[in-house]
Structure formats: structure tokens, C-alpha cells
Amino acid sequence: MAERRGPEPRLALPFLLLLAVTAARAGDARQEQAVRALARRLLGPRAAAVSLSVDPALAAGGPDTYRLWSPPGPAVAVAVTGSSGVAAAAGLYRYLRDFCGCHLSWSGAQLRLPDPLPRLRAEIRAAAPGRYRYYQNVCAQSYSFAWWDWARWEREIDWMALSGINLAPAFAGQEAVWQRVYRNLGLNQSEIDKYFTGPAFLAWNRMGNLRRWAGPLPPAWHFKQLYLQYRIVERMRSLGMTTVLPAFAGHSLPRGVFPRVNATRLGHWSHFDCTYSCIYLLDPEDPMFQVIGTLFLKELIKEFGTDHVYSADTFNEMTPLSSDPAYLSRVSSAVFKSMTGADPKALWLMQGWLFQHQPDFWQPAQVRALLHGVPLGRMIVLDLFAESKPVYQWTESFYGQPFIWCMLHNFGGNHGLFGTVEAINHGPFAARHFPNSTMVGTGLVPEGIEQNDMVYELMNELGWRQEPLDLPSWVSRYAERRYGAPNAAAASAWRLLLRSVYNCTGVCVNHNRSPLVHRPSLHMDTELWYNTSDVYEAWRLLLSAGAELGSSPTFLYDLVDVTRQAAQQLVSDYYLSIHQAFQSHALPELLTAGGVLVYDLLPELDSLLSSHSLFLLGRWLENARAMATSDQEAEQYELNARNQVTLWGPSGNILDYANKQLGGLVLDYYTVRWSLFVSALVESLNSGRPFHQDQFNQAVFQVERGFIYNKKRYPAVPAGDTMEISRKLFLKYYPSALRHSLAGPA
Ligand SMILES: *[C@@H]1O[C@H](CO)[C@@H](O)[C@H](O)[C@H]1NC(C)=O
Ligand SMILES: *[C@@H]1O[C@H](CO)[C@@H](O)[C@H](O)[C@H]1NC(C)=O
Ligand SMILES: *[C@@H]1O[C@H](CO)[C@@H](O)[C@H](O)[C@H]1NC(C)=O
Ligand SMILES: *[C@@H]1O[C@H](CO)[C@@H](O)[C@H](O)[C@H]1NC(C)=O
Ligand SMILES: *[C@@H]1O[C@H](CO)[C@@H](O)[C@H](O)[C@H]1NC(C)=O
């Protein structure tokens, strides 16, 4: 039976409501002060030659706008006015980027300013093409931000402002508020302790996927996170950003609540059994739904204030109890009602991941029902993976609910050069021109950050543009700004990377599938979307630029990253040789390929990574320990940190999902695993007994688990000369690499 529906109100209503909700947060004077303070943090005394001001009238009620010009007189080189603090910061970055040749990224800043600062010949005025530039994936809270202190948060918020981000979650400290709510509802501490996961897994506890694993949360954790959250929301708002706070989605229920409510246990999540998953979902009609939801949000607002935007995901990677559209509408209505119970102006920000994750369940009728449980314009959907699997296209633009076109790009915070530059260069513009489009902005939603800076810089720039860029010339300028000097070899290297690793077309999923970072077997994936010789050639070109650019920190970062990518390609080649030697019972060849891989290539890669501060396992682990207030907490946090990047669960439940190529991890985890594999194959050939993957898996699990508990302290400071190590690897491996790639796919 066809679903009955009346005429749908379009655009006008949603957009009016969005305007109402995003009325000015901090006063203009406060935003002005905040953006000036940012400029001083960034530029030091040189900030004096830049005049920054905030004038909401500049936007005339439309999207964020900035204006740059050079006033007469020698004191001020450039004046920047923004319609908000964020718009002014974006204008400042535009000036630094396009006129001073500067660059700011996760892996470092290149802020060598011309002296005197250049003056503009003509005024520049830019308006964002949409209302929102969104940033952050809920998973990044765990994969990247888990151990951040205020200094690191401050840098990130500065980067967000300069990138023009004006909408972002502020999720820290929510467990402290939940704990208060649970206590009010009569739960005792041991019931609560059996619910929260450890710090490195909170993202999935919040989404109703996981409970208890690697927990509980110590009291000091809550205090520290509350402290951070106060500072985060204060800073974001002072710059004119809209904070997104968490809200009740129906599943944040420790078991003690159950006798009194109608809650249904959902199925298990991913490869976890019910020991750590199978969360309970409250019936949307149960009166306690509103009580709990409103109580939580009121407590949260009392603590942190609000900008009226709330995030909730009821069915993230979880199959609903029923596909009856009426049920799905009841659920979303209940979630929204519990929001408005605490804040009548509430706007619900929802991840649209579920629709493309379980497309069999989420047919048009189900999607429409969930979305229409909320008045049009009171919800914003994040089209989370729009660069590869846009949902707006098959849902008539989310059936009238506003949406943000988001680039997901990264899974699990994996290293690995990757990009879908054509999709992000054209996707947002196509989405805006889609019939009856309800698109209200663009977003960056990587599961983990601090990788592939180029892609994020590109996406941020596109967030302010009215049409696509010319990519090859853009990337050449990118290289120049990033290294602070024009260099033909470096520009060529980047153009090669652009057309190869960064140009994945079709449905591309950036999960690093390299054999390097996965448990060895005889069935590993070595397929790639690009021509590997482009990466080897980029490596050669970067090395040749080393004499000129070797003092640039961002250059050294990229040299490590490209060398790492080349090494990862080489690992695939050695794996294929090992595989072939084993199949053809060629013991000497197996020993040679296995020996080079285990005793040379991987250890050399480890020393390369160990030479750069941003590729150290020790940094991740020491940051975890630094959050602790006792030895016991330090142990717990470190185990959290180690487990997340390896086994992901007690028994390798989501094994290697969040793999990283870090100095220390490559040697003591990946290499040991490969060594065991090569030994097992050699043993099999020697004894004539077949290789059994199951037996190997049991043995290798002991190695993986052993790494987590090895008690070794890894250095958090780099050692060794990056250029020298990269060059050594190059001299040893480049010719063979070229042979492999020129031979084409086997
Ligand atoms: C907490 O409540 C549970 C019942 O849900 C009970 O078994 C336990 O003894 C209580 N713990 C404390 C410390 O009161
Ligand atoms: C309990 O919740 C389930 C699922 O939400 C619902 O189907 C059922 O009717 C509810 N039972 C009662 C007694 O309300
Ligand atoms: C766009 O909206 C109008 C008015 O609601 C409707 O008549 C038209 O069919 C829609 N177009 C598409 C392609 O959905
Ligand atoms: C990416 O590849 C496509 C073909 O798959 C090509 O048309 C396009 O020009 C390439 N883009 C870049 C930047 O190299
Ligand atoms: C990869 O690129 C190299 C160098 O440009 C070229 O010689 C080779 O044919 C390409 N391989 C494939 C499979 O396209």
C-alpha cells in the first residue's frame, strides 16, 4: 500500500527557522576580541599590522561574509571585517594564504610573513555559499581527541575558526552530566560503572553501540572533561561558532533503570557479543523517555548554556525493532519532543550515516518516516559520506529536511594517502543545484584527523567558494605555501600525488587495506586505485627537493608520509613474493622475501616514523597517561589507547580498524606479526604440513595481546634524521620498486 502524503512544505519554512535559531551568539565586541586574540596567538607582534573587526550587518541576514581591504596609512596593512568572529578569522586566513603565501595544518604551520605585509590593491569581499561549515565526526572524539588537553583543543579551535567552521560538536564532559542524571534516577555507582566504556571508546557508548568495555570512568576523568568542556564552549561561542550539544536518543540506559521502564534489548553491535553491546532502547511512548531526555538536556544546558542545536543518533549501525514507518516516526518525534521539553528552540542535528549503512532496511518509506517525525526545518541531517555515497540524491533531498554535504574521507584515523578530489571539488556544487535542494552547508567529518592535510585544506577552501577549483594549479600553489618556497620538484611531486592517490573515483572507502597493517593471511588485499609508480616518483622528487626544503617541518612531515606510503606499497610487493614462493614451495625465495620484509623494510620504516614527532606511538600513549591522576588511571588509559589502535575490543573484535603507522607500533606489533607469519610458512614448507590460518590466528592473537600488555614505554620525542633515513630507504628500495610497478599488476 502506498504511503499517503499531502503536499510538502519546502525550503521557506526550514530556512526561516534556521535563521531564527542561529541568531548572534556572542556580542560583536566579544567576537572581535576573540578573533584578535586568535591573531596574536597565530602571528605574535605582527598581528598589530592587521585590523580585525566584526560587523553582523555585513552579511545582511545571509550567510557569513568577510571583507578585506588596505586602508590608507602605514600602520595597518590589511583590514578584515567579518559578519562574525569566524567570518573574520576566515578572512584573515584568506589574506595569509593568498597574499602572504602562508599555510596552517594539523602537521604544522608555515607562517613566514613577508615584511612589510602586502597591501591589497582592491577590496575583496566573499560570502559563503551556504549557512554552515560543519566539522567533526563523533568518532573523532575517540580516535583523535580522546587525550587532548586544553592547549591542543585551543589549537584546533583556532584552526576551525581560520577555516571558517561555524558549527561543531562540543561533546566533552557529557558523561559527568549523565552520571548526575542516573544518580537522580536512583542508580548506584556500580550500576553506572558497568555502563560507561573507557575513554578511548566513548564515541560508541554515546551512539548506543557499546557499553562497559575498557571502563569504568574514574571520577577524575569527569572533572577533567568538565573543565575542558567549559573552556571549549566558551571559546567556540566567543568566536561566533554554534556548538552542538549531545541529547538523549533513547538508549543511554544503564541496566538498573530497566525494571521501571519498557525498554527492549537491541541486537549486538559489530563483532561484539552482548557482554559489551546489546544496548537497551526505551520505547518512545514510555513516559520515562521524556523524563530522562529532558532531565539530561536541562542539566546539560544548566552546566554549559546552549546554542540550541543538539545531536542524537538512535539507530546508528543498529537495526530498529520495527520497520513500520509509524514506529520510526514515533521514535524521532519522541527524541525531538524530549529536546523541546528542555529547549523550545531546539534544532536536531542527526548523522545520516544509517541510511547508507543499512540501505536494505532504510527504504524511502522508512527514511521519510524517520525524518518526518520532526517538523521540517527543525532537523539538519549530515549527509555523512556524500563524496562517495550521497543520500540526498535518492531521498529527494532528505524529503525536505535541511542537510549538510559532508566529506567523510577517513576511517579509523588510518594513515594512508587518499582522496576523492574530483568528488569534493564538484559534489557540493551539484548538491546545491539538485532539484529542490535543501542543502545548507558543507562539512568535514573524518573519523580521525591528523592525516592527509591537503584534502582538508581543499575542502575548507571549497566551503567558501561558489564554483569548483582548477585542481592541478591549486595543488602546485598548495605545495609552495606549505613549504614556504616555490620548488619545481615539490610541485611536480604534488601533481603526481593529486592524479594518483588523491584521485580515487567511484565508490572509494579510505580504509587502509594495506597488508602492512592487517593480520597476515594467504588472502590479503593488494588492490589499489592508483598507479604506484606515481608515488615512487613523488618520493624521488621530494627527496630531490630536500636540499632546499629540508628545514621546513611540513616538508619533513610529507617526506615521512610519502616514504611511508611507498613502504606500504613495497610491503604489498614482498607479500606477493612471499605468497608466490610459498605456493610454489620455493623455500629460498620465501626466506629472501620474508627476510627482507621482516628484518629490513619494516624496521627501517619504524625508524623513519620514529624520526618525526607526529608519527610516534609514544605520543599517543604518553598523552593518554598525561590525563591520569594516579598510576592506576595511567595504566587503564594506556591500555585503552593501545587496544584502540590494535585489537579494538577484548578479542580483536574490530581488529586493526583504527590501525596507525607509528614508530614503535610498526616494530613491536606489525613486524612481530609478519615475522610469525613468515616463520609459520617456512615451518609448513619444511615439515610438509599445510599452513592453517586458524592455528596461525590463535598464535598471532597472543602476539597482538602481548603487545598491549608489554609494559614498554615508547619515546614521545623523535630520534634520527628523517632525510637520511628516507634517502637510505630510497637507495635500497627505489630500483626494485620501479621494477615492480613498471612490470604492471601481476
Ligand atoms: C547497586 O545496585 C545493585 C542492584 O542493581 C545491587 O546489586 C548492588 O549491591 C548495589 N551496589 C551498591 C554499592 O549499593
Ligand atoms: C514496549 O515497547 C515496545 C517497543 O517499543 C512496544 O512494541 C510495546 O508495545 C511496549 N509495551 C508496552 C506495554 O507499552
Ligand atoms: C520540486 O518541488 C516542487 C514543488 O513542491 C514539485 O512540484 C517538484 O516535483 C519537485 N521536483 C523534484 C524533482 O522533486
Ligand atoms: C582523476 O581521474 C579522472 C579519471 O578517472 C580524470 O578524468 C581526472 O582528470 C583526474 N583528476 C585529476 C585531478 O587528476
Ligand atoms: C604507471 O605509470 C608508469 C609511469 O608513468 C607507466 O609507465 C605505467 O605504464 C603505468 N602503469 C599502469 C598500470 O598504468
Side-chain angles (χ1 to χ4, degrees):
M1 208 168 60
E3 198 199 339
R4 196 186 269 190
R5 59 180 164 117
E8 282 175 351
R10 289 275 180 184
L11 295 191
L13 177 62
F15 285 87
L16 279 177
L17 285 163
L18 287 178
L19 277 175
V21 161
T22 53
R25 343 230 77 74
D28 315 340
R30 183 162 160 233
Q31 293 191 27
E32 228 162 62
Q33 270 174 19
V35 73
R36 286 174 188 161
L38 189 169
R40 284 193 297 273
R41 278 192 296 280
L42 191 69
L43 307 175
R46 300 294 301 276
V50 180
S51 145
L52 287 154
S53 58
V54 173
D55 176 11
L58 197 60
D64 275 337
T65 303
Y66 60 75
R67 184 164 88 93
L68 312 177
W69 79 104
S70 289
V76 171
V78 67
V80 183
T81 303
S83 55
S84 66
V86 163
L92 172 63
Y93 191 61
R94 167 84 181 271
Y95 172 74
L96 294 172
R97 185 187 73 201
D98 290 356
F99 297 92
C100 304
C102 291
H103 171 73
L104 191 68
S105 74
W106 290 315
S107 59
Q110 191 292 102
L111 291 168
R112 253 175 294 149
L113 293 173
D115 196 9
L117 285 179
R119 299 179 61 83
L120 305 183
R121 261 178 272 143
E123 176 181 311
I124 290 173
R125 200 183 169 101
R131 181 153 299 277
Y132 295 114
R133 271 91 45 220
Y134 180 79
Y135 167 56
Q136 287 184 26
N137 184 309
V138 292
C139 298
Q141 308 275 336
S142 292
Y143 285 137
S144 297
F145 315 158
W147 318 116
W148 280 7
D149 58 9
W150 169 243
R152 183 63 189 85
W153 271 110
E154 179 170 61
R155 265 203 293 134
E156 195 71 3
I157 297 170
D158 283 355
W159 175 84
M160 285 159 60
L162 292 159
S163 306
I165 308 293
N166 65 354
L167 180 67
F171 280 3
Q174 61 179 284
E175 284 72 25
V177 176
W178 270 121
Q179 175 155 301
R180 210 179 295 158
V181 169
Y182 296 147
R183 298 304 288 257
N184 287 342
L185 292 170
L187 297 198
N188 68 33
Q189 193 59 42
S190 68
E191 290 167 315
I192 295 171
D193 285 347
K194 284 183 194 145
Y195 179 69
F196 289 134
T197 60
F201 301 93
L202 283 173
W204 301 277
N205 182 241
R206 293 166 180 176
M207 285 188 281
N209 304 133
L210 206 59
R211 57 191 185 83
R212 196 176 181 179
W213 166 244
L217 292 175
W221 173 266
H222 294 303
F223 287 120
K224 289 198 160 198
Q225 294 300 307
L226 283 173
Y227 163 83
L228 278 176
Q229 174 77 348
Y230 294 133
R231 303 200 72 165
I232 291 166
V233 295
E234 192 279 331
R235 179 60 59 80
M236 285 175 66
R237 288 178 187 146
S238 75
L239 286 160
M241 289 177 196
T242 299
T243 60
V244 181
L245 295 179
F248 181 58
H251 49 54
S252 306
L253 300 173
R255 301 215 156 165
V257 189
F258 305 144
R260 284 164 284 152
V261 299
N262 177 15
T264 311
R265 196 158 93 155
L266 296 179
H268 70 98
W269 174 68
S270 190
H271 303 293
F272 279 84
D273 65 20
C274 291
T275 319
Y276 296 113
S277 74
C278 305
I279 296 267
Y280 282 79
L281 182 68
L282 192 48
D283 180 59
E285 245 107 72
D286 189 305
M288 280 305 281
F289 197 108
Q290 297 307 317
V291 172
I292 298 173
T294 301
L295 195 59
F296 170 67
L297 213 52
K298 280 185 171 160
E299 277 296 322
L300 198 74
I301 294 170
K302 197 168 79 188
E303 199 76 37
F304 305 124
T306 186
D307 299 321
H308 313 294
V309 185
Y310 304 98
S311 155
D313 295 291
T314 304
F315 300 119
N316 179 67
E317 301 191 3
M318 302 299 292
T319 307
L321 296 169
S322 158
S323 61
D324 178 4
Y327 167 76
L328 297 169
S329 278
R330 277 203 299 278
V331 172
S332 54
S333 298
V335 171
F336 184 63
K337 191 173 163 210
S338 77
M339 290 176 183
T340 51
D343 178 357
K345 289 201 219 161
L347 184 63
W348 177 4
L349 184 89
M350 191 185 80
Q351 298 184 87
W353 177 252
L354 71 176
F355 302 137
Q356 65 79 40
H357 184 74
Q358 288 177 301
D360 292 344
F361 179 92
W362 293 102
Q363 296 289 311
Q366 282 69 33
V367 176
R368 184 194 295 269
L370 191 77
L371 297 177
H372 283 186
V374 177
L376 284 187
R378 299 299 295 273
M379 178 184 243
I380 302 178
V381 186
L382 300 175
D383 201 353
L384 213 71
F385 197 17
E387 81 272 33
S388 278
K389 295 183 176 179
V391 172
Y392 78 88
Q393 289 175 358
W394 58 271
T395 56
E396 297 170 25
S397 205
F398 293 97
Y399 302 113
Q401 291 288 21
F403 79 96
I404 295 179
W405 191 102
C406 296
M407 172 189 80
L408 204 155
H409 182 261
N410 179 277
F411 291 89
N414 296 169
H415 290 114
L417 303 182
F418 173 84
T420 52
V421 288
E422 294 290 356
I424 66 175
N425 196 29
H426 295 285
F429 306 99
R432 214 170 269 128
H433 293 121
F434 189 72
N436 298 335
S437 176
T438 51
M439 177 173 160
V440 292
T442 47
L444 288 71
V445 294
E447 285 191 352
I449 63 164
E450 297 179 332
Q451 39 77 28
N452 289 296
D453 288 316
M454 182 273 257
V455 174
Y456 297 87
E457 172 105 342
L458 176 62
M459 191 63 216
N460 278 330
E461 188 165 340
L462 289 166
W464 281 86
R465 287 183 59 90
Q466 313 288 343
E467 72 282 330
L469 284 153
D470 177 63
L471 292 171
S473 52
W474 182 87
V475 90
S476 306
R477 286 199 308 279
Y478 171 85
E480 183 173 335
R481 290 187 289 108
R482 187 162 166 86
Y483 308 142
N487 183 289
S492 302
W494 272 101
R495 282 194 300 271
L496 286 175
L497 296 174
L498 178 76
R499 76 172 194 194
S500 56
V501 276
Y502 287 112
N503 189 25
C504 188
T505 52
V507 176
C508 300
V509 179
N510 181 23
H511 220 146
N512 194 334
R513 283 174 299 172
S514 165
L516 166 58
V517 289
H518 289 280
R519 187 188 269 178
S521 79
L522 292 170
H523 306 281
M524 303 193 85
D525 190 350
T526 54
E527 284 294 305
L528 292 173
W529 65 96
Y530 63 92
N531 185 336
T532 53
S533 62
D534 283 347
V535 169
Y536 293 127
E537 180 61 7
W539 182 21
R540 189 187 69 75
L541 287 163
L542 285 184
L543 274 175
S544 77
E548 264 179 60
L549 302 179
S551 62
S552 152
T554 36
F555 173 81
L556 290 175
Y557 177 93
D558 290 344
L559 183 63
V560 171
D561 212 16
V562 170
T563 309
R564 180 202 55 66
Q565 188 76 16
Q568 161 176 323
Q569 295 173 180
L570 288 161
V571 170
S572 288
D573 294 342
Y574 283 99
Y575 163 71
L576 291 172
S577 304
I578 289 168
H579 193 279
Q580 197 181 9
F582 178 70
Q583 300 294 15
S584 51
H585 301 270
L587 191 56
E589 284 78 4
L590 174 58
L591 288 169
T592 306
V596 173
L597 176 66
V598 170
Y599 296 108
D600 195 77
L601 179 58
L602 291 175
E604 285 283 10
L605 173 61
D606 194 82
S607 54
L608 173 85
L609 298 167
S610 301
S611 76
H612 197 288
S613 62
L614 297 180
F615 288 93
L616 298 176
L617 175 65
R619 196 174 67 108
W620 172 243
L621 301 184
E622 292 305 317
N623 286 347
R625 297 187 76 92
M627 286 300 282
T629 57
S630 67
D631 289 348
Q632 200 194 342
E633 280 172 33
E635 287 293 285
Q636 186 198 354
Y637 294 173
E638 181 166 354
L639 291 179
N640 264 260
R642 287 181 184 231
N643 183 277
Q644 189 208 72
V645 298
T646 54
L647 291 177
W648 215 125
S651 51
N653 308 55
I654 318 183
L655 183 66
D656 299 316
Y657 180 93
N659 66 71
K660 308 275 181 308
Q661 290 169 50
L662 297 172
L665 193 62
V666 166
L667 199 63
D668 285 355
Y669 182 72
Y670 302 127
T671 307
V672 179
R673 209 152 71 167
W674 274 104
S675 170
L676 193 66
F677 182 65
V678 172
S679 304
L681 296 183
V682 169
E683 165 67 20
S684 165
L685 285 193
N686 275 334
S687 66
R689 282 193 297 271
F691 169 79
H692 286 294
Q693 188 72 41
D694 290 353
Q695 281 167 19
F696 174 73
N697 287 350
Q698 280 172 27
V700 83
F701 176 65
Q702 297 312 319
V703 165
E704 292 158 347
R705 222 175 151 274
F707 163 76
I708 292 182
Y709 295 101
N710 76 9
K711 302 251 174 196
K712 208 163 136 180
R713 292 292 283 274
Y714 289 90
V717 289
D721 182 332
T722 299
M723 285 276 288
E724 198 180 298
I725 302 167
S726 177
R727 197 175 293 121
K728 195 165 120 200
L729 265 162
F730 180 82
L731 291 176
K732 246 194 270 187
Y733 289 98
Y734 179 75
S736 98
L738 208 56
R739 269 201 314 280
H740 278 285
S741 70
L742 290 182

